[in-house]
Amino acid sequence: MSDVHPAPGFAPLPDPPYYAVIFASLRGATDEGYGAMAEQMAALAAQQPGYIGMENARDATGFGLTVSYWIDEAALIAWKAVAKHQLAQQLGKDRWYRHYALRVAKVERQYDGPEGR
């Protein structure tokens, strides 16, 4: 693991390689149960083998980014298969999101700053 201690809100990440699941979303009009489910999913993800950490942000327009980090592809595939996570995904499609995009990336390099590389 990198010996750099991240600023608040940043996930403590190991040296690469590792995987990032990037979830961009635009929230819809209803908030019905979203906050509680988001908290449950964050706690549940943190219990999964291979989970490294998570970073997220949402702006006033409802656009948000959540990036979860996983030690390998098998770990993120296992997370996708967790039943409670599948329920949250379906509720997101049915209730909470006007649009979303999910991207999976293998992180091969990283730099921390402000001193950079």
Side-chain angles (χ1 to χ4, degrees):
M1 174 131 350
S2 174
D3 58 358
V4 174
H5 298 288
F10 287 80
L13 298 171
D15 291 331
Y18 54 86
Y19 283 81
V21 177
I22 306 155
F23 181 69
S25 63
L26 184 59
R27 293 280 304 281
T30 184
D31 218 19
E32 181 183 328
Y34 178 83
M37 182 62 80
E39 287 180 16
Q40 289 175 28
M41 289 303 100
L44 185 59
Q47 297 172 6
Q48 302 307 304
Y51 172 85
I52 299 171
M54 185 180 299
E55 299 165 341
N56 59 61
R58 185 164 304 278
D59 71 16
T61 71
F63 177 78
L65 281 174
T66 298
V67 183
S68 61
Y69 300 99
W70 302 87
I71 200 71
D72 57 27
E73 192 172 17
L76 67 89
I77 289 169
W79 166 236
K80 182 179 179 184
V82 171
K84 183 79 174 178
H85 184 217
Q86 289 179 344
L87 172 63
Q89 291 173 43
Q90 191 60 51
L91 288 171
K93 292 174 187 176
D94 295 344
R95 291 185 190 172
W96 298 315
Y97 300 121
R98 288 192 329 212
H99 185 74
Y100 67 88
L102 186 124
R103 298 162 180 114
V104 176
K106 183 177 183 181
V107 177
E108 296 186 8
R109 285 182 295 286
Q110 71 180 25
Y111 308 100
D112 294 293
E115 61 279 347
R117 55 185 206 173

Coordinates of all heavy atoms in Angstrom, one line a residue, residues 19-103:
Y19 N -8.4 -2.4 -9.7 CA -9.6 -2.0 -10.6 C -10.4 -0.9 -10.0 O -10.5 -0.8 -8.8 CB -10.5 -3.2 -10.8 CG -9.8 -4.2 -11.9 CD1 -8.8 -5.1 -11.5 CD2 -10.2 -4.1 -13.2 CE1 -8.3 -5.9 -12.4 CE2 -9.6 -5.0 -14.1 CZ -8.7 -5.8 -13.7 OH -8.1 -6.7 -14.7
A20 N -11.0 -0.1 -10.9 CA -11.9 1.0 -10.5 C -13.2 0.8 -11.2 O -13.2 0.5 -12.4 CB -11.3 2.3 -10.9
V21 N -14.3 0.8 -10.5 CA -15.6 0.8 -11.0 C -16.2 2.2 -10.9 O -16.3 2.7 -9.8 CB -16.6 -0.2 -10.3 CG1 -18.0 -0.2 -10.9 CG2 -16.0 -1.6 -10.4
I22 N -16.4 2.9 -12.0 CA -16.8 4.3 -12.1 C -18.3 4.3 -12.4 O -18.7 3.9 -13.5 CB -15.9 5.0 -13.1 CG1 -14.5 4.8 -12.9 CG2 -16.3 6.5 -13.2 CD1 -13.6 4.9 -14.1
F23 N -19.1 4.8 -11.5 CA -20.5 4.9 -11.7 C -20.9 6.4 -11.7 O -20.8 7.1 -10.7 CB -21.2 4.2 -10.5 CG -22.7 4.2 -10.7 CD1 -23.3 3.5 -11.7 CD2 -23.5 4.9 -9.8 CE1 -24.7 3.5 -11.8 CE2 -24.9 4.9 -9.9 CZ -25.5 4.2 -10.9
A24 N -21.3 6.9 -12.9 CA -21.8 8.2 -13.1 C -23.3 8.2 -13.2 O -23.8 7.3 -13.8 CB -21.2 8.8 -14.4
S25 N -23.9 9.1 -12.5 CA -25.4 9.0 -12.5 C -26.0 10.4 -12.4 O -25.4 11.4 -11.9 CB -25.9 8.2 -11.3 OG -25.5 8.8 -10.1
L26 N -27.2 10.5 -12.9 CA -28.0 11.7 -12.8 C -29.3 11.3 -12.1 O -30.1 10.5 -12.6 CB -28.4 12.2 -14.2 CG -29.1 13.5 -14.3 CD1 -28.3 14.7 -13.5 CD2 -29.4 14.0 -15.7
R27 N -29.5 11.8 -10.9 CA -30.6 11.5 -10.1 C -31.9 12.0 -10.7 O -32.0 13.0 -11.4 CB -30.5 12.1 -8.7 CG -29.3 11.5 -7.9 CD -29.7 10.2 -7.3 NE -30.8 10.3 -6.4 CZ -30.9 10.8 -5.2 NH1 -29.7 11.2 -4.6 NH2 -32.0 10.8 -4.5
G28 N -33.0 11.3 -10.4 CA -34.3 11.6 -10.9 C -35.0 12.5 -9.8 O -34.4 13.0 -8.9
A29 N -36.3 12.6 -9.9 CA -37.1 13.5 -9.0 C -37.3 12.9 -7.6 O -37.4 13.7 -6.7 CB -38.4 13.9 -9.7
T30 N -37.4 11.6 -7.5 CA -37.7 11.0 -6.2 C -36.4 10.6 -5.4 O -35.4 10.3 -6.0 CB -38.6 9.8 -6.4 OG1 -38.9 9.3 -5.1 CG2 -37.9 8.7 -7.1
D31 N -36.5 10.8 -4.1 CA -35.4 10.4 -3.2 C -35.8 9.2 -2.4 O -35.0 8.8 -1.5 CB -35.1 11.6 -2.3 CG -33.7 11.8 -2.1 OD1 -32.9 11.3 -2.8 OD2 -33.3 12.5 -1.1
E32 N -37.0 8.7 -2.6 CA -37.6 7.7 -1.8 C -36.6 6.5 -1.4 O -36.4 5.6 -2.2 CB -38.8 7.1 -2.5 CG -39.6 6.0 -1.8 CD -40.7 5.5 -2.6 OE1 -41.3 6.3 -3.4 OE2 -41.0 4.3 -2.5
G33 N -36.0 6.6 -0.3 CA -35.2 5.5 0.2 C -33.7 5.5 -0.3 O -32.9 4.6 0.0
Y34 N -33.4 6.5 -1.1 CA -32.1 6.5 -1.8 C -30.9 6.6 -0.7 O -30.0 5.8 -0.8 CB -32.0 7.6 -2.8 CG -30.6 7.7 -3.4 CD1 -30.3 6.9 -4.5 CD2 -29.6 8.5 -2.9 CE1 -29.0 6.9 -5.1 CE2 -28.3 8.6 -3.5 CZ -28.1 7.8 -4.6 OH -26.8 7.8 -5.2
G35 N -31.0 7.5 0.2 CA -30.0 7.8 1.1 C -29.7 6.5 2.0 O -28.5 6.1 2.2
A36 N -30.7 5.9 2.5 CA -30.6 4.7 3.3 C -29.9 3.6 2.5 O -29.0 2.9 3.0 CB -31.9 4.3 3.9
M37 N -30.4 3.4 1.2 CA -29.8 2.3 0.4 C -28.3 2.6 0.1 O -27.5 1.7 0.1 CB -30.6 2.1 -0.9 CG -30.1 1.0 -1.7 SD -30.2 -0.6 -1.0 CE -31.9 -1.0 -1.2
A38 N -28.0 3.9 -0.2 CA -26.6 4.2 -0.5 C -25.7 3.9 0.7 O -24.6 3.4 0.5 CB -26.5 5.7 -0.9
E39 N -26.2 4.2 1.9 CA -25.4 3.9 3.1 C -25.2 2.4 3.3 O -24.2 1.9 3.6 CB -26.1 4.5 4.3 CG -25.9 6.0 4.4 CD -26.6 6.6 5.7 OE1 -26.9 5.8 6.6 OE2 -26.8 7.8 5.7
Q40 N -26.3 1.6 3.0 CA -26.3 0.2 3.2 C -25.3 -0.4 2.2 O -24.5 -1.3 2.5 CB -27.6 -0.4 2.9 CG -28.6 -0.2 4.1 CD -30.0 -0.8 3.7 OE1 -30.1 -1.7 3.0 NE2 -31.0 -0.1 4.3
M41 N -25.3 0.1 0.9 CA -24.4 -0.4 -0.1 C -23.0 -0.1 0.2 O -22.1 -0.9 0.0 CB -24.8 0.1 -1.5 CG -26.1 -0.5 -2.0 SD -26.1 -2.3 -2.2 CE -27.0 -2.7 -0.7
A42 N -22.7 1.1 0.7 CA -21.3 1.4 1.1 C -20.8 0.5 2.2 O -19.7 0.0 2.1 CB -21.2 2.9 1.5
A43 N -21.6 0.2 3.2 CA -21.2 -0.7 4.3 C -21.1 -2.1 3.8 O -20.1 -2.8 4.1 CB -22.3 -0.6 5.4
L44 N -22.0 -2.5 2.9 CA -21.9 -3.9 2.4 C -20.7 -4.1 1.5 O -20.0 -5.1 1.6 CB -23.2 -4.2 1.6 CG -23.4 -5.7 1.1 CD1 -23.3 -6.7 2.3 CD2 -24.7 -5.8 0.4
A45 N -20.4 -3.1 0.6 CA -19.3 -3.2 -0.3 C -18.0 -3.3 0.6 O -17.1 -4.1 0.2 CB -19.2 -2.0 -1.2
A46 N -17.9 -2.6 1.6 CA -16.7 -2.6 2.5 C -16.4 -3.9 3.1 O -15.3 -4.2 3.6 CB -16.8 -1.5 3.6
Q47 N -17.5 -4.8 3.2 CA -17.3 -6.1 3.8 C -16.9 -7.2 2.8 O -16.6 -8.3 3.2 CB -18.7 -6.5 4.4 CG -19.1 -5.7 5.6 CD -20.5 -6.0 6.1 OE1 -21.1 -7.0 5.6 NE2 -21.0 -5.2 7.0
Q48 N -16.9 -6.8 1.5 CA -16.6 -7.8 0.5 C -15.1 -8.1 0.3 O -14.3 -7.1 0.4 CB -17.2 -7.3 -0.9 CG -18.7 -7.0 -0.9 CD -19.5 -8.2 -0.3 OE1 -19.4 -9.3 -0.8 NE2 -20.3 -7.9 0.7
P49 N -14.8 -9.3 0.1 CA -13.4 -9.6 -0.1 C -12.9 -8.9 -1.4 O -13.6 -8.8 -2.4 CB -13.4 -11.2 -0.4 CG -14.6 -11.7 0.2 CD -15.6 -10.5 0.1
G50 N -11.7 -8.3 -1.3 CA -11.1 -7.6 -2.4 C -11.5 -6.1 -2.5 O -10.9 -5.4 -3.3
Y51 N -12.3 -5.6 -1.6 CA -12.7 -4.2 -1.6 C -11.6 -3.4 -1.1 O -10.9 -3.8 -0.1 CB -14.0 -4.0 -0.7 CG -14.3 -2.6 -0.5 CD1 -15.1 -1.9 -1.4 CD2 -13.9 -1.9 0.7 CE1 -15.5 -0.6 -1.2 CE2 -14.3 -0.6 0.9 CZ -15.1 0.1 0.0 OH -15.5 1.4 0.2
I52 N -11.3 -2.3 -1.8 CA -10.2 -1.4 -1.3 C -10.7 -0.1 -0.7 O -10.3 0.3 0.4 CB -9.2 -1.0 -2.5 CG1 -8.6 -2.3 -3.0 CG2 -8.2 0.0 -2.0 CD1 -7.8 -2.1 -4.3
G53 N -11.7 0.5 -1.4 CA -12.2 1.8 -0.9 C -13.2 2.4 -1.9 O -13.4 1.8 -3.0
M54 N -13.7 3.6 -1.5 CA -14.7 4.3 -2.4 C -14.5 5.8 -2.2 O -14.2 6.3 -1.2 CB -16.1 3.8 -1.9 CG -17.2 4.4 -2.8 SD -18.8 3.8 -2.1 CE -18.7 2.0 -2.3
E55 N -14.8 6.5 -3.3 CA -14.9 7.9 -3.4 C -16.2 8.3 -4.1 O -16.6 7.7 -5.0 CB -13.7 8.5 -4.1 CG -12.4 8.1 -3.5 CD -11.2 8.4 -4.4 OE1 -11.3 8.5 -5.6 OE2 -10.1 8.4 -3.9
N56 N -16.8 9.4 -3.6 CA -18.0 9.8 -4.3 C -18.3 11.3 -4.1 O -17.8 11.9 -3.1 CB -19.3 9.0 -3.9 CG -19.5 9.1 -2.4 OD1 -19.8 10.1 -1.9 ND2 -19.5 7.9 -1.7
A57 N -19.0 11.8 -5.0 CA -19.4 13.2 -5.0 C -20.7 13.4 -5.8 O -21.0 12.7 -6.7 CB -18.3 14.1 -5.6
R58 N -21.5 14.4 -5.4 CA -22.7 14.7 -6.1 C -22.9 16.2 -6.1 O -22.7 16.9 -5.1 CB -24.0 14.1 -5.5 CG -25.2 14.3 -6.3 CD -26.3 13.4 -6.0 NE -26.0 12.0 -6.1 CZ -26.0 11.2 -7.2 NH1 -26.3 11.8 -8.3 NH2 -25.7 10.0 -7.2
D59 N -23.3 16.8 -7.3 CA -23.5 18.2 -7.3 C -24.9 18.6 -7.2 O -25.8 17.8 -7.0 CB -22.8 18.8 -8.6 CG -23.6 18.5 -9.9 OD1 -24.7 18.1 -9.8 OD2 -23.0 18.7 -10.9
A60 N -25.2 19.9 -7.2 CA -26.6 20.4 -6.9 C -27.5 20.1 -8.0 O -28.8 20.1 -7.8 CB -26.5 21.9 -6.7
T61 N -27.0 19.7 -9.2 CA -27.9 19.3 -10.3 C -28.4 17.9 -10.2 O -29.2 17.5 -11.0 CB -27.3 19.6 -11.7 OG1 -26.2 18.6 -11.9 CG2 -26.7 21.0 -11.8
G62 N -27.8 17.1 -9.3 CA -28.1 15.7 -9.2 C -27.1 14.8 -9.9 O -27.2 13.6 -9.9
F63 N -26.1 15.4 -10.6 CA -25.0 14.5 -11.2 C -24.1 14.1 -10.1 O -23.6 14.8 -9.3 CB -24.3 15.3 -12.3 CG -23.2 14.5 -12.9 CD1 -23.4 13.6 -13.9 CD2 -21.9 14.7 -12.5 CE1 -22.4 12.8 -14.4 CE2 -20.8 13.9 -13.0 CZ -21.1 13.0 -14.0
G64 N -23.8 12.8 -10.2 CA -22.9 12.2 -9.2 C -21.9 11.2 -9.8 O -22.1 10.6 -10.8
L65 N -20.8 11.1 -9.1 CA -19.8 10.0 -9.4 C -19.5 9.2 -8.2 O -19.2 9.8 -7.1 CB -18.5 10.7 -9.9 CG -18.4 11.2 -11.3 CD1 -17.1 11.9 -11.5 CD2 -18.6 10.1 -12.3
T66 N -19.5 7.9 -8.3 CA -19.0 7.0 -7.3 C -18.0 6.1 -7.9 O -18.2 5.5 -8.9 CB -20.1 6.2 -6.7 OG1 -21.1 7.1 -6.1 CG2 -19.6 5.2 -5.6
V67 N -16.8 6.1 -7.3 CA -15.7 5.2 -7.8 C -15.4 4.2 -6.7 O -15.0 4.6 -5.6 CB -14.5 6.0 -8.2 CG1 -13.4 5.0 -8.8 CG2 -14.8 7.1 -9.2
S68 N -15.6 2.9 -6.9 CA -15.2 1.9 -6.0 C -14.0 1.2 -6.5 O -13.8 1.1 -7.7 CB -16.3 0.9 -5.7 OG -16.7 0.2 -6.8
Y69 N -13.1 0.8 -5.6 CA -11.8 0.2 -6.0 C -11.7 -1.2 -5.5 O -12.1 -1.5 -4.3 CB -10.6 1.1 -5.4 CG -10.6 2.5 -5.9 CD1 -11.1 3.5 -5.1 CD2 -10.1 2.8 -7.1 CE1 -11.1 4.8 -5.6 CE2 -10.1 4.1 -7.6 CZ -10.6 5.1 -6.8 OH -10.6 6.4 -7.2
W70 N -11.2 -2.1 -6.3 CA -11.2 -3.5 -6.1 C -9.8 -4.1 -6.4 O -9.1 -3.6 -7.3 CB -12.2 -4.2 -6.9 CG -13.6 -3.6 -6.5 CD1 -14.2 -2.5 -7.1 CD2 -14.5 -4.1 -5.5 NE1 -15.4 -2.3 -6.5 CE2 -15.6 -3.2 -5.5 CE3 -14.4 -5.1 -4.6 CZ2 -16.7 -3.4 -4.7 CZ3 -15.5 -5.3 -3.7 CH2 -16.6 -4.4 -3.8
I71 N -9.4 -5.0 -5.6 CA -8.0 -5.6 -5.7 C -7.8 -6.3 -7.1 O -6.8 -6.3 -7.6 CB -7.7 -6.5 -4.5 CG1 -6.2 -6.7 -4.4 CG2 -8.4 -7.8 -4.6 CD1 -5.5 -5.4 -4.0
D72 N -8.9 -7.0 -7.6 CA -8.8 -7.7 -8.9 C -10.2 -7.8 -9.5 O -11.2 -7.4 -8.9 CB -8.2 -9.0 -8.7 CG -8.8 -10.0 -7.7 OD1 -10.1 -9.8 -7.5 OD2 -8.2 -10.8 -7.2
E73 N -10.2 -8.2 -10.7 CA -11.5 -8.3 -11.5 C -12.5 -9.3 -10.8 O -13.7 -9.1 -10.8 CB -11.2 -8.7 -12.9 CG -12.4 -8.5 -13.8 CD -12.1 -8.7 -15.3 OE1 -11.0 -9.3 -15.6 OE2 -12.9 -8.3 -16.1
A74 N -11.9 -10.4 -10.3 CA -12.8 -11.4 -9.6 C -13.6 -10.8 -8.4 O -14.7 -11.1 -8.2 CB -12.0 -12.6 -9.1
A75 N -12.9 -9.9 -7.7 CA -13.6 -9.3 -6.6 C -14.7 -8.4 -7.0 O -15.8 -8.4 -6.4 CB -12.6 -8.5 -5.7
L76 N -14.5 -7.6 -8.1 CA -15.6 -6.7 -8.5 C -16.8 -7.5 -9.2 O -17.9 -7.2 -9.0 CB -15.1 -5.6 -9.4 CG -14.5 -5.9 -10.8 CD1 -15.6 -5.9 -11.8 CD2 -13.5 -4.9 -11.1
I77 N -16.5 -8.6 -9.8 CA -17.5 -9.5 -10.4 C -18.3 -10.1 -9.3 O -19.5 -10.2 -9.3 CB -16.9 -10.5 -11.3 CG1 -16.4 -9.9 -12.6 CG2 -17.9 -11.6 -11.6 CD1 -15.5 -10.8 -13.5
A78 N -17.6 -10.5 -8.2 CA -18.4 -11.1 -7.0 C -19.3 -10.0 -6.4 O -20.4 -10.3 -6.0 CB -17.4 -11.6 -6.0
W79 N -18.8 -8.8 -6.3 CA -19.6 -7.7 -5.7 C -20.9 -7.5 -6.6 O -22.0 -7.3 -6.1 CB -18.8 -6.4 -5.6 CG -19.6 -5.2 -5.4 CD1 -19.6 -4.1 -6.2 CD2 -20.5 -4.9 -4.3 NE1 -20.4 -3.1 -5.6 CE2 -21.0 -3.6 -4.5 CE3 -20.9 -5.7 -3.2 CZ2 -21.9 -3.0 -3.6 CZ3 -21.8 -5.1 -2.3 CH2 -22.3 -3.8 -2.5
K80 N -20.7 -7.5 -7.9 CA -21.9 -7.4 -8.8 C -22.9 -8.4 -8.5 O -24.1 -8.2 -8.7 CB -21.4 -7.4 -10.2 CG -22.5 -7.2 -11.2 CD -22.1 -7.2 -12.6 CE -23.3 -7.0 -13.5 NZ -23.0 -7.1 -14.9
A81 N -22.5 -9.6 -8.1 CA -23.5 -10.7 -7.9 C -24.1 -10.8 -6.6 O -25.0 -11.6 -6.3 CB -22.7 -12.1 -8.2
V82 N -23.7 -9.9 -5.6 CA -24.3 -9.9 -4.3 C -25.8 -9.5 -4.4 O -26.2 -8.5 -5.0 CB -23.6 -8.9 -3.3 CG1 -24.3 -8.8 -2.0 CG2 -22.2 -9.4 -3.1
A83 N -26.7 -10.4 -3.9 CA -28.2 -10.2 -4.0 C -28.7 -8.8 -3.6 O -29.4 -8.2 -4.3 CB -28.9 -11.3 -3.3
K84 N -28.2 -8.3 -2.5 CA -28.7 -7.0 -2.0 C -28.2 -5.9 -2.9 O -28.9 -4.9 -3.2 CB -28.2 -6.8 -0.5 CG -28.6 -5.5 0.1 CD -30.0 -5.6 0.6 CE -30.4 -4.3 1.4 NZ -31.7 -4.3 1.8
H85 N -27.0 -6.1 -3.5 CA -26.5 -5.1 -4.4 C -27.3 -5.1 -5.7 O -27.6 -4.1 -6.3 CB -25.0 -5.4 -4.7 CG -24.4 -4.4 -5.7 ND1 -23.4 -4.8 -6.6 CD2 -24.5 -3.1 -5.8 CE1 -23.0 -3.7 -7.3 NE2 -23.7 -2.7 -6.8
Q86 N -27.7 -6.3 -6.1 CA -28.6 -6.5 -7.3 C -29.9 -5.8 -7.1 O -30.5 -5.1 -8.0 CB -28.8 -7.9 -7.7 CG -27.5 -8.5 -8.3 CD -27.7 -10.0 -8.6 OE1 -28.7 -10.7 -8.2 NE2 -26.8 -10.5 -9.4
L87 N -30.5 -5.9 -5.9 CA -31.7 -5.2 -5.6 C -31.5 -3.7 -5.7 O -32.4 -3.0 -6.3 CB -32.2 -5.6 -4.2 CG -33.4 -4.8 -3.6 CD1 -34.6 -5.0 -4.5 CD2 -33.7 -5.1 -2.2
A88 N -30.5 -3.2 -5.1 CA -30.2 -1.7 -5.2 C -30.0 -1.3 -6.6 O -30.5 -0.2 -7.0 CB -28.9 -1.4 -4.4
Q89 N -29.4 -2.1 -7.5 CA -29.3 -1.7 -8.9 C -30.6 -1.6 -9.5 O -30.9 -0.7 -10.3 CB -28.4 -2.8 -9.6 CG -27.0 -2.8 -9.2 CD -26.2 -4.0 -9.8 OE1 -26.4 -4.3 -11.0 NE2 -25.4 -4.6 -9.1
Q90 N -31.5 -2.6 -9.3 CA -32.8 -2.5 -9.9 C -33.6 -1.3 -9.4 O -34.3 -0.7 -10.1 CB -33.6 -3.8 -9.6 CG -34.9 -4.0 -10.4 CD -34.6 -3.9 -11.9 OE1 -33.8 -4.7 -12.4 NE2 -35.3 -3.1 -12.6
L91 N -33.6 -1.0 -8.1 CA -34.3 0.1 -7.5 C -33.7 1.4 -8.2 O -34.5 2.4 -8.4 CB -34.1 0.2 -6.0 CG -35.0 -0.9 -5.3 CD1 -34.6 -0.9 -3.8 CD2 -36.4 -0.6 -5.5
G92 N -32.4 1.5 -8.4 CA -31.8 2.6 -9.1 C -32.4 2.8 -10.5 O -32.8 3.9 -10.8
K93 N -32.6 1.8 -11.2 CA -33.1 1.8 -12.5 C -34.6 2.2 -12.5 O -35.1 3.0 -13.3 CB -33.0 0.5 -13.2 CG -31.6 0.1 -13.6 CD -31.6 -1.3 -14.1 CE -30.2 -1.8 -14.3 NZ -30.1 -3.2 -14.7
D94 N -35.3 1.7 -11.5 CA -36.8 1.9 -11.4 C -37.2 3.2 -10.8 O -38.2 3.8 -11.1 CB -37.5 0.8 -10.6 CG -37.4 -0.6 -11.3 OD1 -37.0 -0.6 -12.5 OD2 -37.6 -1.6 -10.6
R95 N -36.4 3.7 -9.8 CA -36.8 4.9 -9.0 C -35.9 6.1 -9.1 O -36.3 7.2 -9.1 CB -36.8 4.5 -7.5 CG -37.9 3.5 -7.1 CD -37.8 3.4 -5.6 NE -38.7 2.3 -5.2 CZ -38.7 1.8 -4.0 NH1 -38.0 2.3 -3.0 NH2 -39.6 0.9 -3.6
W96 N -34.6 5.9 -9.0 CA -33.7 7.0 -8.6 C -32.9 7.6 -9.7 O -32.5 8.8 -9.6 CB -32.7 6.5 -7.5 CG -33.3 6.0 -6.3 CD1 -34.3 6.6 -5.6 CD2 -33.1 4.8 -5.6 NE1 -34.7 5.9 -4.5 CE2 -33.9 4.8 -4.4 CE3 -32.2 3.8 -5.7 CZ2 -33.9 3.8 -3.5 CZ3 -32.1 2.8 -4.8 CH2 -33.0 2.8 -3.7
Y97 N -32.6 7.0 -10.8 CA -31.7 7.5 -11.8 C -32.5 7.9 -13.1 O -33.2 7.0 -13.6 CB -30.6 6.6 -12.1 CG -29.7 6.3 -10.9 CD1 -29.6 5.0 -10.4 CD2 -29.1 7.3 -10.2 CE1 -28.8 4.7 -9.3 CE2 -28.3 7.0 -9.1 CZ -28.2 5.7 -8.7 OH -27.4 5.5 -7.6
R98 N -32.2 9.1 -13.6 CA -32.7 9.4 -14.9 C -31.8 8.8 -16.0 O -32.2 8.5 -17.1 CB -32.8 10.9 -15.1 CG -33.9 11.6 -14.3 CD -34.1 13.0 -14.7 NE -32.9 13.7 -15.1 CZ -32.7 15.0 -14.9 NH1 -33.6 15.7 -14.3 NH2 -31.6 15.6 -15.4
H99 N -30.5 8.8 -15.6 CA -29.5 8.2 -16.5 C -28.3 7.8 -15.7 O -28.0 8.4 -14.7 CB -29.1 9.2 -17.6 CG -28.2 8.6 -18.6 ND1 -28.6 7.7 -19.6 CD2 -26.8 8.8 -18.8 CE1 -27.5 7.4 -20.3 NE2 -26.5 8.0 -19.9
Y100 N -27.6 6.8 -16.2 CA -26.3 6.4 -15.5 C -25.4 5.7 -16.5 O -25.8 5.3 -17.6 CB -26.6 5.4 -14.3 CG -27.1 4.1 -14.7 CD1 -26.2 3.1 -15.0 CD2 -28.5 3.8 -14.8 CE1 -26.7 1.8 -15.4 CE2 -28.9 2.6 -15.1 CZ -28.1 1.6 -15.4 OH -28.5 0.4 -15.8
A101 N -24.1 5.7 -16.2 CA -23.1 5.0 -17.0 C -22.2 4.3 -16.0 O -21.8 4.9 -15.0 CB -22.4 6.0 -17.9
L102 N -21.8 3.1 -16.3 CA -20.9 2.4 -15.5 C -19.7 2.0 -16.3 O -19.9 1.5 -17.4 CB -21.6 1.1 -14.9 CG -20.7 0.4 -13.9 CD1 -21.4 0.2 -12.6 CD2 -20.3 -0.9 -14.5
R103 N -18.5 2.2 -15.8 CA -17.3 1.9 -16.5 C -16.4 1.2 -15.5 O -16.3 1.5 -14.4 CB -16.7 3.2 -17.0 CG -17.6 3.9 -18.0 CD -17.2 5.4 -18.2 NE -18.0 6.0 -19.1 CZ -18.9 7.0 -18.8 NH1 -18.9 7.4 -17.6 NH2 -19.6 7.5 -19.7

